[in-house]
Amino acid sequence: MAVVMTGICAAIGQPPVFSSTPKCDSASVLQVTGIDSTIPGRAESADSLRFATARPVINLRPLNDPFTPHLRQLICPGLLAAAGMATYFNKKEGLKNELVEYRTNHFSNFRTKVDNYLQFSPLIANYALEAFGVPGKTDPFNQAMLTLKSEALMLGVTYLLKTTVREQRPDGSNHQSFPSGHTAQAFTAATLLCEQYGYRYKWLPYVAYTVAGGTGLLRMANNKHYICDVFMGAAIGILSVKVAYWTHHAFSVMSKKHRVSTPIQ
């Protein structure tokens, strides 16, 4: 399941394409504009024009801009949510209960607390890269706001479903099985990490979503969740980040250290 999640989620978009205008010197500017450098004050005008025309241009493709809603961005969370609903309504002999039975028969004594920490690892990696001076797609302030919005959406939806559906956990400990909060947190953190640094490290989505998928598998191995809980938690985590970006209008602050999220006019 982790491999399936990784393959689906790693295919979410590509980062913006950055390009710059060709370099030009004062001579070429003078030749094109007809400015005579021998006239006092004209040379300075040529230099000013040279710097103005040599500004970097950032081209954003609508399909790849995380701030722009597009149907393609709904494919991954949509498929995961559909898988969650399909397995939720399984009968006794369905995949949902078969996996629990397999776990009980083959490693019923398995227990670990790794999943309690693994769910936050992509989030820690996000801010660790920032702390080490690696520039992300957005500046620290807006990234913090996006993180807060994503976490609030994820926690709100997860809590609402848990208290409404009241699905009993496989181990019978309580009635808060659906959806998996650990998995939702892991996929929220993984998606935030990929949106911020995926443009720089192409392998990052594969690692981030593998960690997130591993968190879901460990929740099942601990007999705390059914597979439908994990699928739905993953969908909620990814979609929470997407909605946070779509509704975020305070785009990145232009600075020398950080890239900007909107084109330079």
Side-chain angles (χ1 to χ4, degrees), residues 2 4 18 21 33 58 61 93 124 145 161 163 167-168 221:
V4 174
F18 293 84
T21 55
T33 59
I58 299 176
R61 300 175 182 176
E93 298 79 15
I124 296 173
M145 294 299 100
L161 288 176
T163 55
E167 174 78 3
Q168 187 178 31

Side-chain angles (χ1 to χ4, degrees), residues 65-88:
D65 181 11
F67 294 98
T68 304
H70 195 274
L71 289 177
R72 192 179 72 173
Q73 297 172 339
L74 295 175
I75 293 178
C76 178
L79 290 175
L80 290 169
M85 296 306 298
T87 51
Y88 177 81

Side-chain angles (χ1 to χ4, degrees), residues 3-137:
V3 176
V4 174
M5 288 183 178
T6 304
I8 295 176
C9 298
I12 303 177
Q14 294 181 352
V17 177
F18 293 84
S19 62
S20 59
T21 55
K23 294 182 178 179
C24 57
D25 53 15
S26 300
S28 60
V29 172
L30 292 172
Q31 183 177 3
V32 173
T33 59
I35 297 176
D36 188 356
S37 60
T38 61
I39 301 176
R42 294 299 177 86
E44 290 79 4
S45 300
D47 288 336
S48 300
L49 181 59
R50 175 170 59 88
F51 286 115
T53 56
R55 287 189 307 171
V57 177
I58 299 176
N59 299 321
L60 287 178
R61 300 175 182 176
L63 292 180
N64 299 326
D65 181 11
F67 294 98
T68 304
H70 195 274
L71 289 177
R72 192 179 72 173
Q73 297 172 339
L74 295 175
I75 293 178
C76 178
L79 290 175
L80 290 169
M85 296 306 298
T87 51
Y88 177 81
F89 292 107
N90 274 172
K91 297 181 179 179
K92 186 176 181 180
E93 298 79 15
L95 179 64
K96 170 183 174 180
N97 295 299
E98 287 293 332
L99 289 175
V100 173
E101 183 179 351
Y102 180 86
R103 183 260 179 199
T104 302
N105 293 335
H106 292 83
F107 45 99
S108 59
N109 295 325
F110 179 83
R111 295 289 186 277
T112 183
K113 294 183 179 181
V114 174
D115 47 334
N116 292 333
Y117 309 102
L118 196 63
Q119 60 178 323
F120 299 110
S121 57
L123 196 61
I124 296 173
N126 197 342
Y127 285 97
L129 288 170
E130 181 68 40
F132 281 106
V134 181
K137 189 182 295 183

